[in-house]
Amino acid sequence: MSAATRLMERFEAGAPAPVTSVEQERAPFIARSPIGRRFLDAPTPRALALGDPPRHCPAAAIAAGPVGATRADAVSRALGACLEALAEAGDAAACGCRVIAVDDVLLAPVDAYAYAEGVGGRLVGDGRFGGRPLIAEEVDAPDGRGVRVAFFDAGGPVAVGELADNGGARLLMLDDGAVFTGWREPRGWRRGRVQERLLLEGADGARLIALIGFEPADVAEEGPALAVWPSG
């Protein structure tokens, strides 16, 4: 019997906690994060899977529909897509996936649905911000895929980035219009956000590393390593 079938038999039988139905206000990750809103907008049957353990496994996948599909179908496809994403990132050996929501039912403890709209951010390597602390807030990308993130200091927004589902990244500096492009280096989930470095280059070859989700304790722990460009 597959894991998806066992999970859905438990669901259909009205299994006790942690399978619970709760208000969206108690699950901000589902209600407010870009991927959570995509899940809520998807047709049923739908399932949402995240990498596990989440702190080290940043994958996510949604499966929904089509008409005539079962919840077990959605669960199986969400798990498969999540595991495929881990394999592509080279994390398959250390990570698995878990389904955290099916239709309007949450399948994990309530604390698994935390979501921080603003997290620590820094821009390192361009000489203008010196790696000083910023706030990084995310919103849906206009096309409904990927995420946009804005970096703020006390005076307002200083840069806007686009984070693509395929691992690409783009950052626009608001002071002079400089554009940096590159890729994402995700670490894992922190309070409903992916902690990651954006490894970016400008048109002139200048390199910039944007940090998202790194709080002061993380920066103190890793120190200069966060500003090091990958070798190879």
Side-chain angles (χ1 to χ4, degrees):
M1 182 183 296
S2 72
T5 301
R6 290 195 299 270
L7 178 62
M8 291 320 304
E9 285 185 350
R10 183 179 174 208
F11 176 89
E12 299 290 0
V19 181
T20 56
S21 180
V22 302
E23 301 85 356
Q24 290 184 14
E25 290 75 12
R26 295 183 61 198
F29 177 72
I30 301 293
R32 298 203 295 270
S33 74
I35 192 169
R37 289 194 295 270
R38 279 190 242 167
F39 170 75
L40 290 176
D41 289 341
T44 57
R46 62 192 178 207
L48 171 60
L50 296 184
D52 187 59
R55 187 170 182 85
H56 305 291
C57 306
I62 297 171
V67 174
T70 66
R71 292 189 180 105
D73 293 333
V75 168
S76 180
R77 286 187 288 114
L79 285 172
C82 180
L83 292 170
E84 183 178 341
L86 290 173
E88 291 177 354
D91 295 328
C95 295
C97 289
R98 63 173 177 169
V99 174
I100 67 167
V102 177
D103 289 347
D104 294 323
V105 176
L106 306 183
L107 303 175
V110 171
D111 60 5
Y113 303 95
Y115 178 67
E117 295 187 3
V119 295
R122 294 174 189 250
L123 302 177
V124 181
D126 71 333
R128 288 177 287 190
F129 294 95
R132 73 171 185 265
L134 303 169
I135 297 296
E137 295 185 1
E138 66 178 3
V139 297
D140 293 295
D143 61 2
R145 299 180 61 83
V147 173
R148 278 189 173 176
V149 59
F151 292 85
F152 293 84
D153 65 9
V158 298
V160 178
E162 295 180 349
L163 313 181
D165 288 346
N166 65 4
R170 180 174 178 269
L171 189 73
L172 169 67
M173 308 301 296
L174 298 181
D175 59 349
D176 62 2
V179 175
F180 293 79
T181 60
W183 69 95
R184 305 169 66 178
E185 183 189 79
R187 301 289 188 87
W189 294 96
R190 306 288 191 280
R191 295 183 296 155
R193 299 283 297 273
V194 176
Q195 184 188 65
E196 59 188 316
R197 300 196 308 166
L198 309 183
L199 304 167
L200 309 166
E201 294 189 39
D204 60 356
R207 288 178 169 177
L208 173 68
I209 296 177
L211 305 179
I212 300 173
F214 290 85
E215 304 302 340
D218 300 311
V219 175
E221 179 180 352
E222 297 198 48
L226 289 174
V228 175
W229 197 266
S231 60

